[in-house]
Amino acid sequence: MSAELRIVALVFPNVTQLDLTGPVQFLSRVPGAAVDLVWHSTDPVPTDSGFSIVPTASFAEAPQADVLMVPGGQGAFDILDDQVAIDFVKHQAAGARYVTSVCTGAFVLGAAGLLSGRRATTHWASHSMLSLMGADPEEARVVRDGNLITGGGVTSGIDFALTLAAELAGADIARKIQLSMEYDPQPPFDAGSPTRPEADQELVASLKANYRAIREGLVQAAAESR
Amino acid sequence: MSAELRIVALVFPNVTQLDLTGPVQFLSRVPGAAVDLVWHSTDPVPTDSGFSIVPTASFAEAPQADVLMVPGGQGAFDILDDQVAIDFVKHQAAGARYVTSVCTGAFVLGAAGLLSGRRATTHWASHSMLSLMGADPEEARVVRDGNLITGGGVTSGIDFALTLAAELAGADIARKIQLSMEYDPQPPFDAGSPTRPEADQELVASLKANYRAIREGLVQAAAESR
């Protein structure tokens, strides 16, 4: 039986695995959905969290996506010059109903030329670098511009997934998924973004500086080779 | 170099993968932490979301846990009579600083005799069945009773992990992890628990009834064979 709704997500070495696993948990509950995790081969891919995930399909085997999703992490920057991966994203995006990213997966969309002139978001610590990709960076947890839906850092992927679930199947289905996932967040601290009162501003400054130092060159090179 | 803090999490077929991957994302950022995902062998384990995760160690190879964590899902009920898995949990728990579960992983702790007379929580839809394990069910997203810390359904695991991170490394470290994970939740709907205004009460009733029908016998059998 072929799925009615093909979710195709990229997976790659050193992915921030929750960027991927959070949305996939929610989106796999959309009626008719089938999820594929795609990479060069179906050998296990090491994540940032000390364990590996097995892709379900290689680039060659992957079905055309209805929803294309690219997660982030340091690994996303390491594949900006992987022409096979970037071409896969570009070709899939051309046939997808929705083109999406979570966290710094936005930069992979950027390397595929998919952010030019479009509003987008990413992890707060790399947010300002989005403009190097020609995007119009917007500070929000979920940003929609036409068929482009981007999520902010890591756990933003869950709010992103609920937003997308409502888009795909209606608000009632999204609410049912939220209930079954018991997504009624009660963080024990209020430090989840740079604007929050308990956020450590020294960490904000140092993460922004560190990420710019190690990532800006990669982003510029990718933007220039598009 | 040996890790200072050994996080040992169970992984099993048909695990609700976000029960596992959410907390692991946060806990892997605690300074000195190393995560192991453990099952009978290191062959890939299929999750509930259409992809597989690779265990890092077999039961025989696993180090003694500082933090033992058991995730949930329908798969948790299917292993309540797996004596090797239950004995692993029992023996690990005896040497662990913290014994923990997320979602219906609590029932695996119960099958290992670890909930008797102790306050605990689990996914709302299976919550009332905790008493069959001799536990004192408490309706909360995170419940602590001595060295036993249990989380509610699925995404509760993130609040659980931040609570545990603060316990392990202090509140400042927990806040830094929250910031780096951009955990500043903004759910687009307010349907995340049965008490929320947008929660579908028909779904609440039917999930409770369905889960009781398919799970209560397994839970009773496990409680009796302890």
Side-chain angles (χ1 to χ4, degrees):
Chain A
M1 201 177 72
S2 75
E4 297 157 40
L5 181 70
R6 281 278 174 193
I7 316 279
V8 173
L10 208 63
V11 57
F12 44 78
N14 208 12
V15 62
T16 296
Q17 54 86 14
L18 186 55
D19 291 5
L20 175 70
T21 54
V24 162
Q25 184 72 55
F26 281 67
L27 295 175
S28 68
R29 303 294 179 101
V30 172
V35 174
D36 273 297
L37 309 190
V38 183
W39 185 232
H40 287 280
S41 80
T42 55
D43 293 339
V45 172
T47 71
D48 73 327
S49 297
F51 70 90
S52 294
I53 284 175
V54 189
T56 62
S58 67
F59 289 140
E61 298 159 346
Q64 170 60 49
D66 295 304
V67 175
L68 176 66
M69 190 185 94
V70 183
Q74 179 54 39
F77 294 91
D78 299 335
I79 65 167
L80 294 183
D81 65 351
D82 179 335
Q83 210 51 55
V84 175
I86 299 301
D87 282 350
F88 175 81
V89 169
K90 196 180 298 189
H91 291 137
Q92 282 277 337
R97 285 170 57 202
Y98 296 96
V99 175
T100 74
S101 63
V102 175
C103 197
T104 53
F107 291 91
V108 176
L109 297 184
L114 299 165
L115 297 187
S116 298
R118 301 182 82 176
R119 290 179 297 106
T121 191
T122 188
H123 191 288
W124 61 261
S126 294
H127 202 271
S128 65
M129 285 188 276
L130 273 182
S131 56
L132 298 173
M133 288 298 194
D136 177 9
E138 183 170 319
E139 288 192 5
R141 215 163 151 82
V142 182
V143 171
R144 177 162 184 186
D145 183 342
N147 78 333
L148 176 73
I149 307 181
T150 51
V154 200
T155 58
S156 308
I158 293 176
D159 296 332
F160 152 85
L162 273 174
T163 303
L164 181 55
E167 185 69 27
L168 292 165
D172 282 352
I173 294 287
R175 288 190 188 96
K176 286 180 191 209
I177 296 171
Q178 182 182 12
L179 179 60
S180 66
M181 298 293 123
E182 205 165 330
Y183 185 48
D184 178 27
Q186 295 168 31
F189 305 104
D190 192 5
S193 94
T195 61
R196 290 298 183 181
E198 295 180 22
D200 179 334
Q201 294 304 323
E202 277 185 41
L203 180 63
V204 169
S206 75
L207 269 188
K208 281 185 178 177
N210 288 346
Y211 284 154
R212 189 168 278 275
I214 61 174
R215 293 173 173 178
E216 190 167 27
L218 300 169
V219 173
Q220 277 174 331
E224 283 162 18
S225 72
R226 273 207 314 262
Chain B
M1 199 178 75
S2 75
E4 297 158 39
L5 180 71
R6 282 279 173 192
I7 316 279
V8 173
L10 209 63
V11 57
F12 45 79
N14 208 11
V15 64
T16 296
Q17 53 87 13
L18 186 55
D19 290 6
L20 175 70
T21 53
V24 162
Q25 185 72 54
F26 280 67
L27 295 175
S28 67
R29 303 294 178 102
V30 172
V35 174
D36 274 297
L37 308 189
V38 183
W39 185 233
H40 286 281
S41 80
T42 55
D43 293 339
V45 172
T47 71
D48 73 328
S49 298
F51 70 91
S52 294
I53 285 176
V54 188
T56 62
S58 67
F59 289 140
E61 297 159 347
Q64 170 60 48
D66 295 305
V67 175
L68 176 66
M69 190 186 94
V70 183
Q74 180 54 40
F77 295 91
D78 299 334
I79 65 167
L80 293 183
D81 64 352
D82 178 334
Q83 209 52 53
V84 175
I86 299 300
D87 282 348
F88 175 80
V89 169
K90 196 180 296 189
H91 291 137
Q92 283 277 338
R97 284 171 57 201
Y98 295 96
V99 175
T100 74
S101 63
V102 175
C103 197
T104 53
F107 291 91
V108 176
L109 297 184
L114 299 165
L115 297 187
S116 298
R118 301 182 81 176
R119 289 180 297 106
T121 191
T122 189
H123 191 286
W124 60 261
S126 293
H127 202 270
S128 66
M129 285 188 275
L130 272 181
S131 57
L132 298 174
M133 288 298 194
D136 178 8
E138 183 170 318
E139 287 192 6
R141 213 160 152 82
V142 182
V143 171
R144 177 162 182 186
D145 183 342
N147 79 331
L148 176 73
I149 308 180
T150 51
V154 200
T155 59
S156 307
I158 293 175
D159 296 331
F160 152 85
L162 272 175
T163 303
L164 181 54
E167 185 69 28
L168 293 165
D172 282 352
I173 294 287
R175 287 189 189 98
K176 286 179 191 211
I177 296 171
Q178 182 181 13
L179 179 60
S180 66
M181 297 293 123
E182 205 165 331
Y183 184 48
D184 179 27
Q186 295 169 31
F189 305 104
D190 192 6
S193 94
T195 62
R196 290 295 181 183
E198 296 180 23
D200 178 334
Q201 295 302 324
E202 277 185 41
L203 180 62
V204 169
S206 75
L207 269 188
K208 281 185 178 177
N210 288 346
Y211 284 154
R212 188 168 279 274
I214 61 174
R215 293 173 172 177
E216 190 168 24
L218 300 170
V219 174
Q220 277 174 331
E224 284 162 15
S225 73
R226 272 207 316 261

